[in-house]
Amino acid sequence: MQIETQYREGLDDLASHYTEILKLLGEDPSREGLQKTPMRVAKALQVLTRGYAQDPHKVLTDALFAEKYNQMVIVKDIDFFSMCEHHVLPFYGKAHVAYIPNGYITGLSKIARVVDIFSHRLQVQERLTQQIKDCINDTLHPMGVMVVIEARHMCMQMRGVETPNSVTVTSAFCGAFNQAKTREEFMNLLREKRI
């Protein structure tokens, strides 16, 4: 998802802290390969946390349409990248979102934008899953919402337990998805062959 980023206040301060971090790691920030690194890292962090400056509820309401459709709407395989708040290392994967409209629908791309906004904050996967579900539920007031996220965590793959093939799956649901039959329908549709 290509989104133009405007750098926020504090960019120079972030860069100056990264100069100090490089020194604490035993590096020389003035050597050729590292001279621009503190500013590069500061800019990268502002891009990776751009979700703090965006309103996911507004994204949904900007494309809200009255529609008498009341069956499941699923946007699956939404790629996302986030940063684990415990180690500030990436985790990434796919989000699958379903909702059952209750008089209103939103633009399909807006569902992916909600995932993007919440994932571009320091996160844990469990909270990310819940926040996406709550935002859609609180904004659209549908008959139900369900979110499933599958992710790989670099904090588990490259440090600590070092399990490069592990995948973490989380889910959150409400409303009509409290019924096992509705959840099962969603999960079956996720397993179906892609286009």
Side-chain angles (χ1 to χ4, degrees):
M1 185 174 294
Q2 194 69 23
I3 297 173
E4 193 173 317
T5 300
Q6 288 195 312
Y7 297 111
R8 304 185 305 276
E9 191 176 325
L11 189 63
D12 291 330
D13 288 339
L14 266 175
S16 120
H17 286 295
Y18 271 97
T19 299
E20 294 307 310
I21 288 170
L22 288 172
K23 290 177 187 173
L24 289 169
L25 292 174
E27 269 293 354
D28 174 9
S30 66
R31 75 173 170 86
E32 184 182 9
L34 292 177
Q35 287 174 4
K36 295 182 180 178
T37 296
M39 184 55 74
R40 285 189 195 108
V41 175
K43 287 179 177 179
L45 273 177
Q46 284 209 351
V47 169
L48 295 170
T49 60
R50 68 179 176 242
Y52 290 119
Q54 298 171 324
D55 182 352
H57 298 279
K58 185 175 183 326
V59 165
L60 291 175
T61 57
D62 280 352
L64 195 60
F65 309 101
E67 192 64 50
K68 292 182 181 180
Y69 185 81
N70 63 358
Q71 301 299 312
M72 199 179 300
V73 175
I74 301 174
V75 182
K76 63 183 182 177
D77 296 329
I78 302 167
D79 291 312
F80 77 89
F81 300 89
S82 193
M83 298 288 282
C84 163
E85 69 181 34
H86 299 145
H87 303 99
V88 194
L89 288 172
F91 69 96
Y92 60 94
K94 294 193 181 295
H96 315 287
V97 180
Y99 75 101
I100 301 173
N102 189 16
Y104 289 93
I105 60 170
T106 190
L108 297 174
S109 68
K110 305 310 178 189
I111 301 293
R113 289 272 289 120
V114 167
V115 172
D116 182 75
I117 289 169
F118 283 118
S119 66
H120 279 84
R121 298 175 181 186
L122 296 179
Q123 279 289 8
V124 294
Q125 184 174 335
E126 296 87 344
R127 183 188 318 118
L128 174 61
T129 309
Q130 189 74 33
Q131 286 177 328
I132 295 165
K133 188 265 300 175
D134 288 345
C135 178
I136 293 167
N137 191 54
D138 295 346
T139 308
L140 300 181
H141 307 289
M143 289 187 266
V145 181
M146 185 163 177
V147 178
V148 173
I149 293 181
E150 305 168 276
R152 294 182 181 275
H153 292 251
M154 296 306 286
C155 58
M156 285 182 64
Q157 292 182 326
M158 61 188 292
R159 60 154 299 283
V161 69
E162 294 184 13
T163 57
N165 297 312
S166 66
V167 175
T168 302
V169 180
T170 51
S171 68
F173 52 86
C174 63
F177 289 95
N178 284 320
Q179 298 172 9
K181 184 178 177 183
T182 310
R183 286 196 309 277
E184 187 178 327
E185 179 186 349
F186 174 50
M187 297 308 287
N188 286 337
L189 288 167
L190 284 188
R191 290 184 204 103
E192 283 188 4
K193 189 175 185 325
R194 270 81 169 160
I195 297 175

